[in-house]
Amino acid sequence: MQIVTSPVELQKICLKWRCEGIKVGIVPTMGYFHEGHKNLMRIAREKADKLIVSLFVNPTQFGENEDLDAYPSNHEGDAADAKALGADILFIPEPGSMYADDHATWVEVPQLAQGLCSATRPTHFRGVSTVVTKLLILTLPEYAVFGEKDWQQLAIIRRLTRDLNLPTTIINGPLIREKDGLAMSSRNAYLTQEEREQASHINAGIRAGAEAFEAGERNVEKLKDVIRAHWKQHLPLGKEDYLEFIDPDSIEPVSTITDKARCAVAVYVGKARLLDNWPFYL
Ligand code: PAF
């Protein structure tokens, strides 16, 4: 596995591969790998001739008072994991090589970057869309794999890839959970033991809502009541950022489930802001 730090160098390698008909798969990440990341790499490895894993804590997707400086990192462990999973290139650029001092070009998908995570992180998706576009242009991959934990992010990336005619198929990687249901996230590392125990109830609350749905409840406000009641009892350290039922493709909120909806949540637990989502499909 080659470690590449220069975007120019990465682009040179990938252009050559593209000309030779070699199919590239990329897994963009911010590092501190867990089983969710590793699963994305397995998916890409299986489909593509060459696997590129990028590890870049993208500064433009963090707001001013967010955890950019505290974001957990383990470059040595990540490199060992990427190598063991068959990566051909681990791309670890410096922020200065990805963004010139006078960087001024942004990719935005305003239709989908509203509500949910955008409500508390208004510039987040502009940063994500821009860095993902840059990574896709640098590597021109046949496949790019993103996790379903960030459902809104995935919808935005699909849309920008289509709208900008990028020659890449976006593949969903399933959300991977801890045994007790907590969605795997690098930010779980911020949790104290007590917070970690309670954090499993983010998903347990959603599943309580899913049980009510299975029993016939279709009214979203009533389903939210069930979930919030569970959280109130079992997750007193949690603070809801959002709890929404959305159309899985348009990300628009729904008030009654007539076909399929996705329950999407963000909850602050201690220093961590944790995401989860769950299908409510008829
Ligand atoms: O999901 C992430 O880890 C990041 O948002 C991504 C897609 C790597 C862009 O920085």
Side-chain angles (χ1 to χ4, degrees):
M1 181 183 77
Q2 194 180 347
I3 295 193
V4 175
T5 56
S6 152
V8 177
E9 167 79 10
L10 180 70
Q11 194 163 44
K12 246 190 230 160
I13 297 170
C14 292
L15 279 174
K16 183 165 172 287
W17 282 345
R18 184 107 193 157
C19 290
E20 290 168 355
I22 292 170
K23 289 184 172 35
V24 166
I26 186 169
V27 178
T29 81
M30 299 207 299
Y32 207 68
F33 298 156
H34 50 67
E35 205 43 44
H37 295 110
K38 292 189 212 170
N39 199 47
L40 303 181
M41 293 177 212
R42 285 186 201 106
I43 293 171
R45 177 67 285 170
E46 204 153 282
K47 290 196 86 77
D49 302 321
K50 298 281 187 188
L51 170 60
I52 299 178
V53 176
S54 70
L55 193 175
F56 179 55
V57 183
N58 172 37
T60 64
Q61 68 189 74
F62 289 79
E64 260 181 29
N65 297 316
E66 293 182 353
D67 57 343
L68 173 61
D69 295 332
Y71 200 81
S73 113
N74 174 14
H75 281 200
E76 234 172 78
D78 288 350
D81 285 340
K83 186 170 177 195
L85 288 160
D88 295 281
I89 290 182
L90 180 63
F91 177 52
I92 316 186
E94 288 298 325
S97 69
M98 288 295 278
Y99 295 104
D101 288 345
D102 57 353
H103 172 92
T105 306
W106 300 100
V107 178
E108 297 196 64
V109 189
Q111 222 177 13
L112 298 177
Q114 308 180 20
L116 306 185
C117 289
S118 294
T120 42
R121 309 186 74 192
T123 57
H124 172 65
F125 286 120
R126 181 181 88 155
V128 171
S129 304
T130 303
V131 82
V132 168
T133 303
K134 285 161 78 70
L135 289 167
L136 296 184
I137 290 173
L138 283 173
T139 56
L140 296 177
E142 190 78 14
Y143 306 105
V145 190
F146 296 88
E148 288 188 342
K149 178 170 71 67
D150 299 274
W151 192 268
Q152 188 177 20
Q153 166 173 287
L154 198 39
I156 289 170
I157 291 169
R158 279 188 178 283
R159 186 69 63 87
L160 76 83
T161 305
R162 186 203 71 183
D163 289 353
L164 298 177
N165 301 103
L166 297 173
T168 301
T169 301
I170 303 299
I171 298 176
N172 288 24
L175 191 164
I176 306 291
R177 299 181 182 281
E178 301 288 353
K179 280 200 182 77
D180 62 5
L182 177 66
M184 286 195 187
S185 163
S186 304
R187 289 186 168 102
N188 292 350
Y190 297 152
L191 299 169
T192 64
Q193 195 184 333
E194 193 187 14
E195 289 164 354
R196 170 65 190 80
E197 281 162 18
Q198 291 194 18
S200 66
H201 285 280
I202 297 173
N203 185 249
I206 299 173
R207 280 187 287 116
E211 269 174 34
F213 177 68
E214 291 302 325
E217 186 58 75
R218 301 287 178 262
N219 180 296
V220 159
E221 283 314 313
K222 295 215 170 108
L223 292 170
K224 284 184 182 176
D225 287 345
V226 173
I227 296 170
R228 286 187 177 124
H230 182 101
W231 285 350
K232 193 169 177 203
Q233 192 181 348
H234 298 285
L235 183 54
L237 294 174
K239 185 172 158 286
E240 177 186 319
D241 179 15
Y242 63 77
L243 163 60
E244 289 294 350
F245 285 74
I246 53 166
D247 176 282
D249 303 313
S250 71
I251 311 293
E252 295 280 340
V254 299
S255 54
T256 308
I257 304 176
T258 52
D259 174 16
K260 52 182 184 172
R262 201 96 197 167
C263 174
V265 312
V267 179
Y268 294 98
V269 184
K271 278 189 262 169
R273 179 175 170 281
L274 304 174
L275 304 184
D276 201 348
N277 66 80
W278 193 267
F280 281 62
Y281 295 174
L282 284 173

